[in-house]
Amino acid sequence: MRDNMFGNGLRVVALGAVAGVTALASPSPADTSFKVAVVSFLTGPAAGPFGVPGRNGAELVIDAINGGTMPAPYETAGFGGLQLEAIFADESGGNAKQVAEYRNLVEKQGVDAVLGYISSGSCMSVAPVAEELQTLTVMSVCGTPRLFEGSDWNYTFRTQAHAVGDSVAAALYIRDQLGDVSSYSGINQNYAWGQDSWKFFDIAMQKLSPESRASDNPQFPKLFAGQYGTEISTLLLEDSELVHSSFWDGDIEAFVLQASVRGFFDKKKFISVAGASAIDNLGKRFPTGTVIGTRGEFGIIVRNQEGELNEWFINAYRERYGVYPLESSYQYAQSVLALKAAMDKAAAESGEVPNTDRIIGAMTGLDFVSIAGDVSFALGNGHQAIHPVSYGVTAWDDGKDEPTVVDVRVYPANCILPPAGQLSEDWLEAGMPGSDC
């Protein structure tokens, strides 16, 4: 259903050899607008659970800011005095296609900035091109810490904290809420995000629960494999008490459905780092008692959290799209808010219309308010954001006849992420010195 939720008269057009770009109707004049490409999965297995909800979150907030209808502190209309003109591009097709499409968006479509990207592979491929073309690029989701560790980008930012925070918070939640876990294994996608998620979770477990034993045979199926019978059999035959997974998109849905019919969740404790989108899609078919995260304070985990921005976002999103905002809806909205805050700051400091250099200067090291919490560009020389990460346990709310999350714990950024200037793996191996939990 979500694959078709492109609201307000948007239409899909061909872009030469690169397909899948849509544009907002009635663009503003060039001298009063700032043109941004928003890239997410609009087709393929990641579209429904992640790409389209992310795209919708960006569109909702862009339209509200342009119209001056958002709550404080984003109540002023526009982005540094400019209207943001958005075009929406498809992330599907692989890394080479994304590099080609990025060049097309900048060199032929003339965008002033690019926002988005869900896959870590996309981010790693696009960042060097952003530097080459000197184009402001704000990454919305991708999780690998490799993006900024070992690379010093000028034009690239990321508003989503990286995988180390997700992994450390997961290990802390297990220790704090589940107690002693004798052994654990994992099933993670075989690319940067999945590999990093398992590695950092494993190291965090060794440090936080040294009595636990890791499996010698964690599973790494191909991204978007869709069929997991062999991996499920292997995990069921192991004596591991708990299984960790960073599956997202259609992969988490397929895994849950295939594992459920084999009694997997009756035999194993399961922690899902980024699978919360599947809860709304699967309803009661998603197993209760699963430890779930949303890579921050996003989606179902903050659905009942008070706060004017969060309540506005949930209500406005449901009114426009007919469903709750998911994890990626919040993540893409967060990127738009970072751009708004930086462009407003740049305009205020210079007294002039924001340009790329002024926006980069304003965004570097910026602290800003997001939908359900505060965010700070504190790592990566002021280009990598940090924020808290929450986990809870899935349940069913019979009163509302919908899924919910209980026993939520929030882990602050300075508890789960390394200090500036330290490599994540070195910090973890050293026992997370300076961690303030």
Side-chain angles (χ1 to χ4, degrees), residues 15-31:
L15 192 62
V18 182
V21 175
T22 61
L24 288 172
S26 303
S28 304
D31 60 348

Side-chain angles (χ1 to χ4, degrees), residues 73-93:
Y74 301 107
E75 70 275 19
T76 59
F79 294 73
L82 300 174
Q83 290 284 287
L84 194 147
E85 177 193 345
I87 64 173
F88 295 88
D90 192 355
E91 191 178 344
S92 297

Side-chain angles (χ1 to χ4, degrees), residues 254-294:
F255 175 78
V256 163
L257 292 173
Q258 293 165 32
S260 293
V261 299
R262 300 180 62 178
F264 182 91
F265 301 103
D266 296 325
K267 301 169 185 175
K268 305 286 184 180
K269 297 175 182 177
F270 187 63
I271 181 163
S272 175
V273 171
S277 64
I279 300 173
D280 285 288
N281 289 347
L282 297 181
K284 288 188 175 181
R285 292 178 294 173
F286 195 95
T288 59
T290 295
V291 178
I292 199 81
T294 60

Side-chain angles (χ1 to χ4, degrees), residues 268-333:
K268 305 286 184 180
K269 297 175 182 177
F270 187 63
I271 181 163
S272 175
V273 171
S277 64
I279 300 173
D280 285 288
N281 289 347
L282 297 181
K284 288 188 175 181
R285 292 178 294 173
F286 195 95
T288 59
T290 295
V291 178
I292 199 81
T294 60
R295 302 202 59 221
E297 296 176 288
F298 309 132
I300 192 171
I301 215 157
V302 294
R303 192 163 290 171
N304 297 316
Q305 180 175 310
E306 295 181 355
E308 188 177 9
L309 268 176
N310 190 44
E311 292 171 6
W312 171 86
F313 187 64
I314 292 171
N315 292 332
Y317 193 100
R318 293 190 74 190
E319 181 178 355
R320 186 160 183 169
Y321 303 110
V323 290
Y324 281 109
L326 300 183
E327 172 183 334
S328 61
S329 310
Y330 279 79
Q331 290 165 320
Y332 271 73

